[in-house]
Amino acid sequence: MSLICGENSYAYSHSPIEFYFKQSPRDFVVEEVPLYVFNGSGPHTILKMRKKDLTTFQMLKILSSSLGVKEIDIGYAGLKDKNALTIQHISIPCQFEKLVENFSHEKIKILDITRHQNKLKIGHLKGNRFFIRIKKLNKINNIKITQVLNEISKYGIPNYFGYQRFGIDGDNYKLGQDIVNNKARIKNKKMSNFLISAYQSYLFNAWLSLRINFSKIVDCYKVNDIYDALFELLQNNHISESFKDKDMLSKIKTQEHIFKVLPGEFMCHYPYGRHFILDDIINDSNRFLNKDISVLGALSGKKLELSHDMALFFEDLFLDSKITSVGSRRYAWVFLDDVQYNYKEEEAQGELNFYLPKGSYATTLLRELARRELDCSETIKEDCYV
C-alpha cells in the first residue's frame, strides 16, 4: 500500500498558480446553509449566530456560561473554524430564549431568532457558502484562475478530506492506524475514535488519488496500453483480469468527465438521495457529467457494503479489516455551485464566492487552483466541512 499512498493527486493539469492565502475573518467567511426551513414554533429556540476568532466549542461555552444552559442541551449542525468569520445556527431549549435579549459579546452576534420542533444535530445542514480572498495574485495568474474555474464549474473537484483532518503535522492517521493494529492505546475514547477516523480518511484520500491517476491513464493511453500502464503505476502484478476487457475499457475511455466511473461503482443521487450500483456505464457516466449523480468512495469499517467488479479492485486496496468502526460511504466527487470570481488588479487580489455541500473542504478548491500543498500559514486549521 505504501507504493500507492503518496501525495494526493491533482485532478486538473494546468501549471501551478501562484497566490497567497492566510486565513482570517477578513479573508475567509463561511455561512452555513440549513438542511430545512425552521417552522417558527416548537420547544427549541434557533439562534443564527455570527462569530469570529472563536471555535464553535468556545462559542458554546460562552453561551452556556452567559445563559445558564448546559452545553449538552445546545444543538449545532456543524463545526465552524476559529480563524474566520462564520455564520451558523444553534438551538437551545426555549425557556432560555428571554435571556438571549441581554446577551452581548464582542466576538459573537445573534443575527436572528426563531423556533423549531427539534434540537439541531450534527449533519443538519445542506452545505456551506464560502467567501475567500487570495492575495499577491498577478494578472497572468488571474487569467489562469479564470480558465481553471471554468473547468471546475463544469466538472467539479475531488472530495478529499482536508489537511486539517490530519493534525498540525499531517500524520495523526498513523496513530489511528496503530490503534487499529493494537500497537497503541488512547484512554480518551473520543480522541481514539477521532484518530481512527483520521486513518479512515487517509485511506479514502489514497483511494481517490489512485482513481484520479487511473482516470488520467485512461485519457492518455490507447486502450491496448491501459493494462500495462496500470501495472506500472501499481508496481505489482496483482491486477484484475477485467482490466484486459478492451470493450469495457473503450466504454470507459469515451467518458467525457475527467473522473472515469467504473463497472460496479457505488453511485448516489446528487447532492443527496439513494445509493445504487452503477448499472449502465454509458448512461450513468452521462448522468455524472450532468451532476445528477456522483461517485461514492468507501470509509473502511464493519458492515460496509462493497462495490463490485473493476471498482472493487481499487477499493479493496484501501480497506482495512481491522477497523472496528462502522464503515460508510462518502461522495468522492463534488460540484461547486454559485461560483463567482472577482479580480481586483490594483490590490492584486482575487475574491471567490461558492457553495459546497456538507462533507466538503474549501481547501480542496484552493489546492487544485494552486497545484501545491498549502503551508501551515495558509491551511484552514479546523473542521469547517460538516
Side-chain angles (χ1 to χ4, degrees):
M1 186 178 297
S2 60
L3 294 175
I4 50 179
C5 285
E7 181 180 296
N8 295 334
S9 302
Y10 300 103
Y12 295 89
S13 57
H14 59 278
S15 59
I17 299 175
E18 293 297 326
F19 60 80
Y20 175 76
F21 171 71
K22 184 175 181 180
Q23 189 175 334
S24 70
R26 182 176 179 271
D27 297 331
F28 190 80
V29 181
V30 188
E31 181 174 1
E32 185 178 273
V33 179
L35 182 62
Y36 39 71
V37 177
F38 304 118
N39 58 22
S41 63
H44 298 274
T45 296
I46 306 295
L47 305 178
K48 186 177 182 179
M49 314 289 294
R50 186 179 69 200
K51 67 174 183 65
K52 64 178 181 179
D53 299 323
L54 293 171
T55 68
T56 297
F57 292 127
Q58 288 171 332
M59 180 182 71
L60 298 184
K61 287 184 182 296
I62 291 169
L63 287 170
S64 174
S65 176
S66 299
L67 304 179
V69 57
K70 295 179 180 179
E71 282 189 55
I72 196 172
D73 292 329
I74 304 177
Y76 57 95
L79 302 178
K80 294 293 175 285
D81 193 78
K82 176 179 181 178
N83 300 316
L85 184 69
T86 67
I87 298 171
Q88 68 183 115
H89 296 84
I90 68 162
S91 65
I92 60 173
C94 63
Q95 60 263 36
F96 296 94
E97 185 175 319
K98 289 185 178 180
L99 299 175
V100 172
E101 297 176 5
N102 298 319
F103 175 79
S104 178
H105 193 278
E106 62 180 356
K107 295 182 179 180
I108 303 172
K109 184 174 182 179
I110 298 174
L111 302 178
D112 190 35
I113 303 175
T114 187
R115 287 197 179 185
H116 195 61
Q117 293 293 332
N118 59 268
K119 177 182 177 181
L120 288 179
K121 295 182 179 180
I122 285 289
H124 283 198
L125 73 162
K126 289 182 179 178
N128 296 289
R129 292 190 182 94
F130 294 92
F131 167 82
I132 293 177
R133 181 182 287 110
I134 55 179
K135 301 178 180 179
K136 300 181 182 179
L137 182 68
N138 63 31
K139 289 189 288 185
I140 293 176
N141 284 308
N142 166 60
I143 293 171
K144 287 184 183 179
I145 282 185
T146 301
Q147 294 170 339
V148 178
L149 281 175
N150 287 335
E151 286 191 88
I152 287 175
S153 295
K154 180 177 181 180
Y155 295 115
I157 56 175
N159 195 26
Y160 286 122
F161 283 97
Y163 313 127
Q164 57 270 46
R165 186 77 166 181
F166 305 107
I168 295 174
D169 296 323
D171 61 356
N172 61 14
Y173 71 89
K174 294 180 181 178
L175 184 52
Q177 185 177 18
D178 286 343
I179 294 170
V180 166
N181 288 304
N182 294 317
K183 294 180 179 179
R185 185 171 178 271
I186 304 294
K187 291 183 179 180
N188 185 317
K189 188 165 182 63
K190 185 176 181 180
M191 178 57 68
S192 178
N193 289 338
F194 173 77
L195 293 168
I196 293 172
S197 74
Y199 176 47
Q200 291 173 301
S201 302
Y202 169 79
L203 293 175
F204 177 95
N205 278 7
W207 163 83
L208 181 53
S209 180
L210 180 59
R211 284 292 304 271
I212 289 172
N213 284 336
F214 176 71
S215 295
K216 291 178 179 178
I217 285 175
V218 172
D219 275 335
C220 294
Y221 286 81
K222 295 179 180 179
V223 169
N224 289 343
D225 298 327
I226 290 176
Y227 181 91
D228 290 338
L230 179 59
F231 178 90
E232 184 176 349
L233 175 65
L234 296 182
Q235 300 181 30
N236 65 56
N237 57 2
H238 303 296
I239 300 175
S240 170
E241 290 295 307
S242 61
F243 289 93
K244 292 182 177 179
D245 184 338
K246 294 180 182 179
D247 288 338
M248 180 54 67
L249 290 175
S250 295
K251 291 180 180 179
I252 296 170
K253 191 172 179 64
T254 60
Q255 295 176 32
E256 181 181 342
H257 201 286
I258 61 175
F259 187 86
K260 311 303 180 187
V261 296
L262 302 177
E265 198 91 74
F266 251 105
M267 311 292 291
C268 185
H269 294 270
Y270 189 86
Y272 46 80
R274 181 178 58 87
H275 296 190
F276 64 95
I277 294 289
L278 182 145
D279 178 50
D280 183 332
I281 194 166
I282 300 298
N283 179 60
D284 287 343
S285 64
N286 287 330
R287 293 174 67 195
F288 177 42
L289 179 66
N290 293 328
K291 307 178 184 179
D292 295 329
I293 60 177
S294 189
V295 183
L296 294 177
L299 292 173
S300 185
K302 295 190 304 182
K303 300 181 180 179
L304 176 70
E305 187 176 355
L306 300 180
S307 58
H308 304 159
D309 201 21
M310 285 185 175
L312 178 59
F313 168 75
F314 286 111
E315 184 171 284
D316 194 48
L317 294 172
F318 302 99
L319 298 179
D320 190 332
S321 60
K322 295 179 181 178
I323 296 176
T324 57
S325 306
V326 175
S328 61
R329 290 202 170 264
R330 158 190 172 87
Y331 282 120
W333 205 267
V334 292
F335 303 102
L336 282 72
D337 284 329
D338 302 326
V339 181
Q340 299 175 26
Y341 173 67
N342 180 44
Y343 179 57
K344 295 184 175 180
E345 183 176 343
E346 290 186 2
E347 293 90 346
Q349 295 178 359
E351 295 179 345
L352 279 162
N353 288 275
F354 56 95
Y355 168 87
L356 280 174
K358 67 179 181 180
S360 306
Y361 288 79
T363 43
T364 300
L365 173 62
L366 294 180
R367 180 182 180 274
E368 280 292 337
L369 290 173
R371 279 188 64 84
R372 62 183 169 85
E373 305 297 336
L374 302 178
D375 64 33
C376 292
S377 67
E378 299 172 302
T379 303
I380 298 172
K381 294 185 174 58
E382 201 190 339
D383 287 347
C384 59
Y385 64 95
V386 293

